[in-house]
Amino acid sequence: SDVELSNVIEGSGVIDVTLADENREFDFSSAQQLGFTGRLILNAGTYRLDEDGGVLAQAGLETGLGANVVVNSAGSTADRTLGALTLAGGTIDFGTLAVGSQTGQIVVAGGNDAFAAAGATTLKAALADEADAAGSSVFDSSKDISVVLIEGFDAQNEDWTKLALDAGSQNLTQVIRQSNRGAAGDAVATLSYSNGALKATAEGIAAGWELSQIELAAGNGSGLLVSTTDDQTISALITGSGAIEFAGGTVKLAHADNTYTGATSVTNGAALVLGADEALGDTARLNVVNGSVDFGTTTQTIGSITVDAQGSLTM
Protein backbone atom coordinates (compact mmCIF):
# COMPACT_ATOMS: atom_id res chain seq x y z
CA SER A 1 0.00 0.00 0.00
CA ASP A 2 0.95 3.68 0.08
CA VAL A 3 3.21 4.56 3.01
CA GLU A 4 3.16 7.83 4.94
CA LEU A 5 5.44 8.27 7.93
CA SER A 6 3.40 9.24 10.98
CA ASN A 7 6.32 10.81 12.85
CA VAL A 8 8.36 13.93 12.17
CA ILE A 9 11.84 12.82 11.11
CA GLU A 10 15.06 14.56 12.17
CA GLY A 11 18.73 13.72 11.79
CA SER A 12 21.20 12.73 9.10
CA GLY A 13 20.47 9.02 8.76
CA VAL A 14 19.10 7.02 5.83
CA ILE A 15 15.49 6.14 4.98
CA ASP A 16 15.49 3.18 2.60
CA VAL A 17 12.15 2.69 0.79
CA THR A 18 11.06 -0.27 -1.35
CA LEU A 19 7.35 -0.42 -2.19
CA ALA A 20 5.54 -2.96 -4.38
CA ASP A 21 5.68 -0.82 -7.54
CA GLU A 22 5.47 2.77 -8.81
CA ASN A 23 1.72 2.82 -8.21
CA ARG A 24 2.46 2.97 -4.46
CA GLU A 25 3.49 6.30 -2.96
CA PHE A 26 5.85 7.14 -0.13
CA ASP A 27 5.40 10.38 1.78
CA PHE A 28 6.53 12.13 4.91
CA SER A 29 4.18 13.24 7.65
CA SER A 30 2.15 16.35 6.81
CA ALA A 31 3.87 17.97 9.82
CA GLN A 32 7.37 17.31 8.48
CA GLN A 33 9.59 20.39 8.18
CA LEU A 34 13.31 20.70 7.32
CA GLY A 35 14.63 18.54 10.17
CA PHE A 36 15.67 15.65 7.94
CA THR A 37 19.23 16.16 6.63
CA GLY A 38 20.03 12.57 5.69
CA ARG A 39 19.26 10.58 2.56
CA LEU A 40 16.07 9.14 1.13
CA ILE A 41 16.78 6.06 -1.00
CA LEU A 42 13.78 5.30 -3.21
CA ASN A 43 14.39 1.83 -4.62
CA ALA A 44 10.82 1.29 -5.79
CA GLY A 45 7.65 3.36 -5.52
CA THR A 46 6.62 6.95 -6.22
CA TYR A 47 7.75 10.07 -4.41
CA ARG A 48 6.03 13.39 -5.19
CA LEU A 49 8.31 16.40 -5.02
CA ASP A 50 5.32 18.46 -6.18
CA GLU A 51 3.55 17.74 -2.87
CA ASP A 52 6.33 17.39 -0.27
CA GLY A 53 6.60 21.08 0.66
CA GLY A 54 10.38 21.13 0.34
CA VAL A 55 11.06 18.38 2.88
CA LEU A 56 14.27 17.29 1.12
CA ALA A 57 15.73 20.78 0.69
CA GLN A 58 18.56 19.91 3.08
CA ALA A 59 18.58 16.18 2.40
CA GLY A 60 19.62 13.86 -0.41
CA LEU A 61 17.47 11.82 -2.78
CA GLU A 62 18.73 8.62 -4.40
CA THR A 63 16.65 6.70 -6.94
CA GLY A 64 16.68 2.98 -7.78
CA LEU A 65 15.41 0.92 -10.70
CA GLY A 66 11.77 0.99 -9.57
CA ALA A 67 11.63 4.64 -8.54
CA ASN A 68 9.24 7.21 -9.97
CA VAL A 69 9.75 10.84 -8.91
CA VAL A 70 7.05 13.37 -9.82
CA VAL A 71 8.59 16.85 -10.03
CA ASN A 72 5.64 18.88 -11.36
CA SER A 73 1.93 18.39 -11.96
CA ALA A 74 -0.98 20.46 -13.27
CA GLY A 75 -1.23 23.61 -11.18
CA SER A 76 1.98 22.88 -9.29
CA THR A 77 5.12 23.91 -11.18
CA ALA A 78 7.98 25.26 -9.10
CA ASP A 79 11.67 24.75 -8.41
CA ARG A 80 12.24 21.69 -6.20
CA THR A 81 15.40 22.07 -4.10
CA LEU A 82 17.35 18.98 -3.00
CA GLY A 83 20.48 18.98 -0.89
CA ALA A 84 21.90 16.23 -3.09
CA LEU A 85 20.72 14.00 -5.93
CA THR A 86 21.92 10.57 -7.05
CA LEU A 87 20.16 9.05 -10.06
CA ALA A 88 20.72 5.30 -10.13
CA GLY A 89 17.59 4.20 -11.99
CA GLY A 90 13.88 4.79 -12.40
CA THR A 91 12.01 7.73 -13.90
CA ILE A 92 12.00 11.46 -13.13
CA ASP A 93 8.80 13.07 -14.45
CA PHE A 94 9.05 16.85 -14.91
CA GLY A 95 5.51 17.21 -16.26
CA THR A 96 4.69 20.12 -18.57
CA LEU A 97 7.21 22.96 -18.77
CA ALA A 98 7.26 26.25 -20.66
CA VAL A 99 10.21 26.96 -22.94
CA GLY A 100 12.60 29.31 -21.15
CA SER A 101 10.85 28.78 -17.82
CA GLN A 102 12.85 29.57 -14.71
CA THR A 103 10.67 27.32 -12.57
CA GLY A 104 9.90 23.63 -12.59
CA GLN A 105 13.49 22.40 -12.30
CA ILE A 106 15.21 20.24 -9.70
CA VAL A 107 17.81 22.46 -8.03
CA VAL A 108 20.75 20.61 -6.50
CA ALA A 109 21.75 22.92 -3.64
CA GLY A 110 25.06 21.19 -2.98
CA GLY A 111 26.45 21.91 -6.46
CA ASN A 112 28.68 19.59 -8.48
CA ASP A 113 29.77 17.43 -5.54
CA ALA A 114 26.13 16.72 -4.67
CA PHE A 115 25.06 15.28 -8.03
CA ALA A 116 25.75 11.85 -9.49
CA ALA A 117 24.32 9.82 -12.37
CA ALA A 118 25.10 6.32 -11.14
CA GLY A 119 22.68 4.22 -13.19
CA ALA A 120 20.33 4.24 -16.18
CA THR A 121 17.63 6.80 -15.38
CA THR A 122 14.86 8.16 -17.61
CA LEU A 123 13.79 11.81 -17.64
CA LYS A 124 10.32 12.78 -18.91
CA ALA A 125 9.05 16.22 -19.99
CA ALA A 126 6.32 17.86 -22.09
CA LEU A 127 5.92 21.37 -23.58
CA ALA A 128 3.28 23.87 -22.45
CA ASP A 129 1.12 25.90 -24.83
CA GLU A 130 2.79 29.08 -26.08
CA ALA A 131 1.30 32.57 -26.48
CA ASP A 132 3.39 33.71 -29.45
CA ALA A 133 1.95 36.98 -30.76
CA ALA A 134 4.38 37.34 -33.68
CA GLY A 135 4.66 33.66 -34.60
CA SER A 136 8.43 33.82 -34.14
CA SER A 137 8.52 30.19 -32.95
CA VAL A 138 8.26 29.02 -36.57
CA PHE A 139 11.51 30.67 -37.75
CA ASP A 140 14.73 28.73 -38.22
CA SER A 141 16.35 31.12 -35.75
CA SER A 142 13.99 29.73 -33.09
CA LYS A 143 13.72 26.11 -34.23
CA ASP A 144 16.11 24.70 -31.62
CA ILE A 145 14.51 24.93 -28.19
CA SER A 146 15.58 23.63 -24.80
CA VAL A 147 14.31 23.37 -21.25
CA VAL A 148 16.58 23.06 -18.21
CA LEU A 149 15.56 20.07 -16.09
CA ILE A 150 18.20 19.73 -13.36
CA GLU A 151 20.27 22.74 -12.34
CA GLY A 152 22.69 23.98 -9.72
CA PHE A 153 25.94 22.56 -11.13
CA ASP A 154 28.10 22.56 -14.26
CA ALA A 155 27.00 19.38 -16.05
CA GLN A 156 29.78 19.82 -18.60
CA ASN A 157 32.15 18.60 -15.89
CA GLU A 158 29.95 15.65 -14.84
CA ASP A 159 29.39 12.14 -16.19
CA TRP A 160 25.67 12.19 -16.99
CA THR A 161 25.73 9.72 -19.91
CA LYS A 162 23.60 7.17 -18.01
CA LEU A 163 20.65 9.54 -18.21
CA ALA A 164 18.27 9.41 -21.18
CA LEU A 165 15.17 11.24 -22.37
CA ASP A 166 12.05 9.09 -22.29
CA ALA A 167 11.00 7.76 -25.74
CA GLY A 168 7.66 9.51 -25.43
CA SER A 169 9.42 12.80 -24.69
CA GLN A 170 11.68 12.72 -27.74
CA ASN A 171 8.90 13.92 -30.06
CA LEU A 172 6.62 16.60 -28.62
CA THR A 173 3.92 19.01 -29.74
CA GLN A 174 3.29 22.58 -28.65
CA VAL A 175 0.10 24.55 -29.26
CA ILE A 176 0.48 28.17 -30.41
CA ARG A 177 -2.22 30.66 -29.39
CA GLN A 178 -2.57 34.27 -30.55
CA SER A 179 -5.15 36.80 -29.40
CA ASN A 180 -7.63 38.16 -31.93
CA ARG A 181 -6.85 35.38 -34.41
CA GLY A 182 -10.13 33.49 -34.26
CA ALA A 183 -12.25 32.57 -31.28
CA ALA A 184 -10.73 33.40 -27.91
CA GLY A 185 -8.33 30.71 -26.77
CA ASP A 186 -8.33 28.87 -30.09
CA ALA A 187 -5.09 27.34 -31.31
CA VAL A 188 -3.73 28.85 -34.51
CA ALA A 189 -1.08 26.20 -35.03
CA THR A 190 0.49 23.11 -33.51
CA LEU A 191 4.26 22.80 -33.67
CA SER A 192 5.89 19.38 -33.73
CA TYR A 193 9.37 19.01 -32.29
CA SER A 194 11.57 15.97 -32.90
CA ASN A 195 15.04 14.59 -32.17
CA GLY A 196 14.71 15.27 -28.47
CA ALA A 197 17.84 14.58 -26.41
CA LEU A 198 19.54 15.57 -23.20
CA LYS A 199 22.52 17.90 -23.20
CA ALA A 200 24.95 19.25 -20.65
CA THR A 201 25.14 22.96 -19.96
CA ALA A 202 27.04 25.17 -17.54
CA GLU A 203 23.91 25.46 -15.41
CA GLY A 204 22.83 21.82 -15.41
CA ILE A 205 21.13 19.23 -17.61
CA ALA A 206 18.66 20.34 -20.27
CA ALA A 207 16.46 18.68 -22.86
CA GLY A 208 16.51 20.02 -26.42
CA TRP A 209 14.33 19.56 -29.53
CA GLU A 210 14.19 20.72 -33.15
CA LEU A 211 11.09 22.09 -34.93
CA SER A 212 10.06 19.74 -37.74
CA GLN A 213 6.43 20.57 -38.61
CA ILE A 214 3.90 23.42 -38.40
CA GLU A 215 0.26 22.34 -38.59
CA LEU A 216 -2.08 25.26 -39.30
CA ALA A 217 -5.31 24.89 -37.33
CA ALA A 218 -8.63 24.82 -39.17
CA GLY A 219 -11.40 27.28 -38.35
CA ASN A 220 -9.14 29.85 -36.71
CA GLY A 221 -10.28 32.91 -38.66
CA SER A 222 -7.36 34.83 -40.11
CA GLY A 223 -4.97 32.07 -39.06
CA LEU A 224 -1.40 32.10 -37.83
CA LEU A 225 0.16 35.57 -37.84
CA VAL A 226 3.86 35.64 -38.74
CA SER A 227 5.64 38.97 -38.34
CA THR A 228 9.26 40.04 -38.15
CA THR A 229 11.38 43.17 -38.49
CA ASP A 230 14.25 41.47 -40.33
CA ASP A 231 14.94 38.53 -42.67
CA GLN A 232 13.81 35.11 -41.48
CA THR A 233 13.49 31.59 -42.91
CA ILE A 234 10.97 28.83 -42.27
CA SER A 235 12.35 25.39 -43.14
CA ALA A 236 9.84 23.24 -41.24
CA LEU A 237 7.10 21.39 -43.14
CA ILE A 238 3.83 23.37 -43.15
CA THR A 239 0.66 21.25 -43.11
CA GLY A 240 -3.01 21.59 -42.11
CA SER A 241 -6.10 23.35 -43.44
CA GLY A 242 -5.74 26.66 -41.59
CA ALA A 243 -4.61 30.04 -42.90
CA ILE A 244 -1.32 31.90 -42.51
CA GLU A 245 -0.59 35.64 -42.75
CA PHE A 246 2.82 37.22 -43.24
CA ALA A 247 2.58 40.77 -41.90
CA GLY A 248 6.03 42.31 -41.70
CA GLY A 249 9.67 41.81 -42.64
CA THR A 250 11.04 39.33 -45.15
CA VAL A 251 10.24 35.64 -44.73
CA LYS A 252 11.55 32.81 -46.92
CA LEU A 253 9.65 29.52 -47.18
CA ALA A 254 12.36 26.92 -47.70
CA HIS A 255 10.61 23.55 -47.39
CA ALA A 256 9.76 21.81 -50.66
CA ASP A 257 6.34 20.18 -50.90
CA ASN A 258 4.48 21.90 -48.10
CA THR A 259 0.92 20.54 -47.95
CA TYR A 260 -1.24 23.16 -46.23
CA THR A 261 -4.52 24.12 -47.95
CA GLY A 262 -5.63 27.30 -46.19
CA ALA A 263 -5.30 30.86 -47.47
CA THR A 264 -1.95 32.67 -47.60
CA SER A 265 -1.94 36.44 -46.99
CA VAL A 266 0.97 38.86 -47.41
CA THR A 267 0.21 42.24 -45.80
CA ASN A 268 1.61 45.29 -44.06
CA GLY A 269 4.65 45.67 -46.32
CA ALA A 270 5.82 42.09 -45.81
CA ALA A 271 7.95 40.33 -48.41
CA LEU A 272 7.44 36.60 -48.94
CA VAL A 273 10.23 34.73 -50.76
CA LEU A 274 9.51 31.26 -52.13
CA GLY A 275 12.70 29.27 -51.93
CA ALA A 276 11.43 25.85 -53.06
CA ASP A 277 8.88 24.26 -55.37
CA GLU A 278 5.45 23.93 -53.74
CA ALA A 279 6.52 26.07 -50.78
CA LEU A 280 2.95 27.41 -50.82
CA GLY A 281 1.63 23.87 -50.54
CA ASP A 282 -1.90 23.60 -51.95
CA THR A 283 -2.95 27.01 -50.69
CA ALA A 284 -6.51 27.81 -51.73
CA ARG A 285 -5.86 31.53 -52.11
CA LEU A 286 -2.91 33.92 -52.23
CA ASN A 287 -3.86 37.43 -51.06
CA VAL A 288 -1.21 40.13 -51.52
CA VAL A 289 -2.32 43.37 -49.83
CA ASN A 290 0.45 45.97 -49.56
CA GLY A 291 3.07 43.25 -49.76
CA SER A 292 5.22 41.34 -52.23
CA VAL A 293 5.83 37.73 -53.24
CA ASP A 294 9.02 36.64 -54.99
CA PHE A 295 8.51 33.33 -56.84
CA GLY A 296 12.06 33.15 -58.15
CA THR A 297 12.22 30.18 -60.52
CA THR A 298 10.00 27.93 -58.40
CA THR A 299 6.77 26.13 -59.34
CA GLN A 300 3.74 26.69 -57.08
CA THR A 301 0.15 25.40 -57.01
CA ILE A 302 -2.36 28.12 -56.02
CA GLY A 303 -6.15 28.06 -56.07
CA SER A 304 -6.53 31.79 -56.82
CA ILE A 305 -4.47 34.99 -56.60
CA THR A 306 -5.52 38.50 -55.56
CA VAL A 307 -3.05 41.40 -55.64
CA ASP A 308 -4.02 44.95 -54.66
CA ALA A 309 -2.59 48.17 -56.08
CA GLN A 310 0.16 48.26 -53.44
CA GLY A 311 1.09 44.60 -53.90
CA SER A 312 3.46 42.92 -56.32
CA LEU A 313 4.50 39.52 -57.66
CA THR A 314 8.03 38.86 -58.96
CA MET A 315 8.83 35.85 -61.12
Side-chain angles (χ1 to χ4, degrees), residues 33-268:
Q33 300 296 321
L34 296 177
F36 179 50
T37 58
R39 187 162 47 112
L40 171 63
I41 302 176
L42 185 67
N43 297 296
T46 290
Y47 185 74
R48 302 193 65 101
L49 284 173
D50 61 329
E51 296 179 355
D52 79 344
V55 168
L56 299 180
Q58 298 174 356
L61 173 63
E62 180 178 332
T63 64
L65 293 177
N68 179 47
V69 178
V70 179
V71 181
N72 300 293
S73 56
S76 178
T77 302
D79 280 349
R80 317 297 181 184
T81 300
L82 301 174
L85 177 63
T86 298
L87 299 178
T91 300
I92 314 297
D93 188 351
F94 289 87
T96 301
L97 298 175
V99 176
S101 173
Q102 299 301 308
T103 62
Q105 290 78 32
I106 289 179
V107 180
V108 182
N112 283 59
D113 294 337
F115 173 80
T121 307
T122 299
L123 309 186
K124 297 174 64 176
L127 295 178
D129 295 357
E130 181 81 8
D132 184 357
S136 57
S137 300
V138 303
F139 298 141
D140 285 7
S141 58
S142 305
K143 72 176 183 178
D144 295 316
I145 63 170
S146 63
V147 176
V148 175
L149 301 177
I150 306 172
E151 63 183 3
F153 58 96
D154 186 352
Q156 298 171 120
N157 296 324
E158 297 291 327
D159 180 8
W160 56 274
T161 54
K162 294 179 180 178
L163 307 181
L165 196 61
D166 174 68
S169 300
Q170 293 175 17
N171 299 286
L172 297 179
T173 59
Q174 179 185 54
V175 173
I176 299 298
R177 303 183 189 278
Q178 295 175 324
S179 59
N180 302 318
R181 305 296 292 184
D186 277 358
V188 292
T190 299
L191 307 186
S192 295
Y193 290 91
S194 58
N195 302 319
L198 298 177
K199 58 182 180 180
T201 73
E203 59 181 333
I205 295 171
W209 298 268
E210 181 179 278
L211 178 64
S212 57
Q213 179 175 307
I214 304 158
E215 182 180 1
L216 303 176
N220 61 357
S222 45
L224 173 67
L225 177 68
V226 177
S227 179
T228 180
T229 57
D230 52 10
D231 294 357
Q232 295 285 353
T233 299
I234 301 175
S235 294
L237 174 68
I238 306 176
T239 67
S241 57
I244 186 169
E245 179 183 354
F246 300 93
T250 299
V251 178
K252 179 180 180 180
L253 298 184
H255 196 291
D257 301 322
N258 285 328
T259 61
Y260 73 98
T261 58
T264 304
S265 299
V266 184
T267 67
N268 196 38

Side-chain angles (χ1 to χ4, degrees), residues 7 22 62 117 126 187 307 313:
N7 297 311
E22 67 176 31
E62 180 178 332
V307 186
L313 304 180

Side-chain angles (χ1 to χ4, degrees), residues 262-300:
T264 304
S265 299
V266 184
T267 67
N268 196 38
L272 182 63
V273 178
L274 306 178
D277 289 345
E278 304 303 339
L280 287 176
D282 296 313
T283 188
R285 187 170 63 256
L286 175 61
N287 299 316
V288 185
V289 181
N290 187 24
S292 65
V293 179
D294 184 352
F295 286 77
T297 60
T298 66
T299 298
Q300 307 296 330

